[in-house]
Amino acid sequence: MVFASPHDANCPLEFVQADMQKMRPGGEWELLGYVTIGKVGKMDPMDEKFRKIVRPRACKMGGEAIAVMTSATNSTPISTGSGTVYGVLRRPPSGGQAPQSF
């Protein structure tokens, strides 16, 4: 994962299909981090109420795109719970990222 300059809380975000080949080092996307949401009951990862939670956090990370990395619902006879992990992505800077000293 890399660090990026934050954007304003309502920045535009693309929605992309999660493809690990495109997120590998030197690939089309850099992974900045994750936003994870859990809910009692079933959830639709694309529901507007979840987008309102994810967008400001992804923008603050410097994101340019969102991908649903995993989404699952677990049901038992007494309860149902759901969780979604959103990947926050950006396109790599042109010329690649300069090496950094530790």
Side-chain angles (χ1 to χ4, degrees):
M1 290 188 275
V2 297
F3 296 98
S5 299
H7 301 300
D8 63 293
N10 200 24
C11 69
L13 295 170
E14 287 182 58
F15 179 73
V16 298
Q17 186 74 22
D19 181 343
M20 295 312 289
Q21 288 298 318
K22 292 181 179 181
M23 294 180 225
R24 64 179 168 68
E28 184 179 339
W29 296 103
E30 290 181 326
L31 180 62
L32 300 176
Y34 301 96
V35 177
T36 303
I37 297 177
K39 176 185 181 313
V40 174
K42 294 181 181 180
M43 70 182 280
D44 172 7
M46 298 306 290
D47 189 305
E48 188 60 34
K49 66 183 168 190
F50 300 121
R51 291 180 189 213
K52 287 180 181 180
I53 295 169
V54 173
R55 179 179 303 282
R57 289 164 175 78
C59 292
K60 188 173 183 178
M61 286 186 215
E64 297 173 1
I66 294 292
V68 173
M69 305 302 279
T70 63
S71 186
T73 299
N74 185 19
S75 294
T76 67
I78 59 172
S79 70
T80 298
S82 299
T84 299
V85 177
Y86 301 86
V88 180
L89 312 168
R90 78 164 182 180
R91 294 196 185 278
S94 60
Q97 189 171 3
Q100 297 180 354
S101 298
F102 183 72

